[in-house]
């Protein structure tokens, strides 16, 4: 259940492009044709599926406050989280290079379709953003981290596929001259983002009910505590008066 | 400006208008849009990018003859990441609330395409002083767009500027609210940043016809 929720949440509600604007540069630059957009989108899914779990392992066993405890109790105090930017980006750049070499060696066909996009991906904000959001949202298990990587990648893929299809069609429309190209792409993306916001209600409903239930449980106990405190105070006062 | 020659001055003024990194070169949109709902956040982000770009361009330019071309992207990323860590720690120390608002977007300066783009296009081929000026100029061009977007989104969205209620109080109905004006909460949502930039591009290109794209 947790997995399904995270999956749909990262594709539709927290969509990389429409909710957080990550990876906009390559999104705008490579979305002129559907075929190239599909290539880049597939490469993003692929790289995110590898780097997010990898960075999760780094975060949990190296960077978090107290993460070094597996080395011995004397290391428990170290908090290396300030190093996360440099470590994450180094991991991503290395992995991208490694993936490029491996793909070139073992599958030339895949390399021809993905290869030219791989160097672009090292500096794609969506990849680093995925790892940083994974860290700040405190994703619990390795499986969930893998799920998060793949589903965010799919969300990005869907977004670039949609805008590429629209841009292919929009070429035949009569757009005002100063808006042609970049301007209309921005505005269409904005409108699509508004559309995607309607997915927002999909999962939040359940959460609100839970919190209100918890509040209902909490309030009476607090009142009871206060009442008992008052009772104790009154009793003390009475004792003092008697004495 | 006796300090700068005409050629150097052009490095600063060009990115401000006709070669703007965001609206013309289409670089660095990634980490910028999500934080422009408030003017204050956009100003802080601009200063952070200014710092990283100026010093980053300077560093890369000083090292340009000793970086092996094959691993230059990793070297560039490490330089930027180091500078960004400095910015992040300074923000956490002196403006903790603001660093919470900016959250992961400070870290995303690392992959801001403007920075990598300028390293590749300028700092690897030019001397340190000119590279520094180029970095500052491009960061200013980026800042201009960010501040314009932040200004309109905060003014129309919450009726404030830098937290001051310039349009009057919406609850007590003073200022323009007395005449039935309402805040447009939609401006605070993410999609409106894109549409605002779209409109800026529209205005800029109708003023300068040479910039219009041909299909």
């Amino acid at each position: 259940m947790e997995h399904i929720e995270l999956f749909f949440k990262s594709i539709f509600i927290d969509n990389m492009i429409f909710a957080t604007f990550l990876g906009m540069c390559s999104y705008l630059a490579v979305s002129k044709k559907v075929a190239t957009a599909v290539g880049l989108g597939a490469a993003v899914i692929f790289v995110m599926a590898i780097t997010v779990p990898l960075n999760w392992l780094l975060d949990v066993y190296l960077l978090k406050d107290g993460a070094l405890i597996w080395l011995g109790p004397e290391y428990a105090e170290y908090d290396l989280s300030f190093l996360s930017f440099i470590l994450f980006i180094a991991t991503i750049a290395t992995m991208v290079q490694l993936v490029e070499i491996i793909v070139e060696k073992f599958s030339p066909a895949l390399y021809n379709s993905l290869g030219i996009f791989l160097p672009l991906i090292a500096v794609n904000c969506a990849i680093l953003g995925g790892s940083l959001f994974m860290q700040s949202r405190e994703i619990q298990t390795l499986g969930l981290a893998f799920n998060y990587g793949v589903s965010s990648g799919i969300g990005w893929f869907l977004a670039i596929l949609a805008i590429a299809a629209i841009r292919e069609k929009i070429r035949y429309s009569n757009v005002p001259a100063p808006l042609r190209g970049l301007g209309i792409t921005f505005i269409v993306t904005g409108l699509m983002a508004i559309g995607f916001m309607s997915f927002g209600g999909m999962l939040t409903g359940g959460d609100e009910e839970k919190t209100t239930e918890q509040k209902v449980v909490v309030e009476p106990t607090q009142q009871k505590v206060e009442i008992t405190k008052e009772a104790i105070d009154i009793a003390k006062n009475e004792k003092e008066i008697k004495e | 400006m006796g300090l700068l020659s005409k050629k150097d001055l052009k490095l600063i003024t060009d990115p401000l208008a006709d070669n703007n990194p965001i609206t013309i070169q289409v670089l660095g949109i990634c980490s910028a849009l999500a934080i422009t709902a408030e003017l204050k956040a956009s100003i802080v982000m601009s200063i952070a990018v200014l710092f990283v770009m100026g010093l980053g361009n300077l560093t890369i330019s000083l090292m340009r003859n000793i970086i092996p071309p094959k691993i230059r992207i990793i070297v560039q990323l490490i330089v930027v990441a180091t500078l960004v860590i400095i910015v992040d720690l300074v923000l956490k120390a002196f403006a903790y609330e603001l660093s919470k608002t900016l959250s992961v977007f400070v870290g995303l300066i690392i992959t801001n395409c403007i920075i990598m783009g300028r390293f590749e296009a300028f700092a690897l081929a030019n001397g340190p002083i000119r590279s520094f000026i180029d970095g500052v100029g491009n960061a200013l061009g980026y800042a201009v767009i960010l501040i314009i977007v932040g200004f309109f989104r905060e003014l129309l969205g919450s009726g404030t500027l830098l937290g001051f209620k310039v349009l009057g109080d919406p609850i007590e109905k003073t200022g323009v609210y007395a005449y039935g004006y309402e805040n447009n909460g939609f401006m605070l949502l993410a999609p409106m940043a894109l549409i605002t930039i779209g409109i800026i591009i529209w205005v800029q290109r109708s003023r300068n016809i040479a910039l219009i794209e041909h299909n």
Side-chain angles (χ1 to χ4, degrees), chain B:
Chain B
M1 294 281 259
L3 196 65
L4 300 170
S5 70
K6 229 175 199 171
K7 218 169 141 198
D8 289 346
L9 196 63
K10 210 167 145 49
L11 287 177
I12 288 196
T13 51
D14 253 13
L16 286 179
D18 289 346
N19 199 16
N20 190 286
I22 291 187
T23 59
I24 311 295
Q25 302 175 36
V26 210
L27 294 175
I29 303 148
C30 331
S31 61
L33 296 182
I35 48 95
T36 48
E38 287 170 38
L39 187 54
K40 197 173 168 193
S42 357
I43 292 175
V44 170
M45 189 72 177
S46 308
I47 295 171
V49 169
L50 185 72
F51 172 80
V52 174
M53 270 208 80
L55 287 187
N57 248 1
L58 182 70
T59 319
I60 291 291
S61 170
L62 286 173
M63 300 200 304
R64 70 185 186 281
N65 293 326
I66 52 166
I67 300 176
K70 272 194 179 168
I71 57 158
R72 67 176 192 285
I73 291 193
I74 293 184
V75 174
Q76 289 165 0
L77 285 173
I78 299 295
V79 170
V80 188
T82 318
L83 289 167
V84 170
I85 288 175
I86 297 174
V87 169
D88 188 47
L89 291 179
V90 167
L91 273 182
K92 273 188 185 146
F94 293 103
Y96 189 69
E97 285 303 310
L98 209 61
S99 80
K100 281 281 160 212
T101 334
L102 294 176
S103 71
V104 301
F105 292 99
V106 176
L108 288 172
I109 298 177
I110 299 172
T111 47
N112 195 324
C113 338
I114 290 188
I115 295 178
M116 297 295 288
R118 289 329 286 176
F119 284 1
E120 286 280 306
F122 201 91
L124 281 176
N126 287 285
I129 296 172
R130 294 197 65 204
S131 298
F132 180 72
I133 297 171
D134 178 77
V136 171
N138 274 285
L140 286 177
Y142 171 86
V144 166
I145 301 291
L146 227 64
I147 288 171
I148 294 176
V149 177
F151 177 83
F152 281 109
R153 282 184 76 192
E154 193 178 346
L155 186 69
L156 300 177
S158 38
T160 55
L161 281 179
L162 294 172
F164 294 109
K165 291 172 180 158
V166 287
L167 293 182
D169 198 313
I171 298 158
E172 292 168 15
K173 300 280 174 210
T174 57
V176 288
Y177 295 99
Y179 304 103
Y181 176 80
E182 289 287 341
N183 280 332
N184 182 0
F186 209 56
M187 288 300 284
L188 294 177
L189 299 175
M192 287 312 287
L194 286 165
I195 294 181
T196 318
I197 292 206
I199 294 170
I200 293 174
I201 292 175
W202 192 358
V203 171
Q204 193 185 16
R205 292 191 182 180
S206 27
R207 287 168 53 119
N208 188 347
I209 297 171
L211 297 174
I212 290 175
E213 287 175 43
H214 299 286
N215 285 332

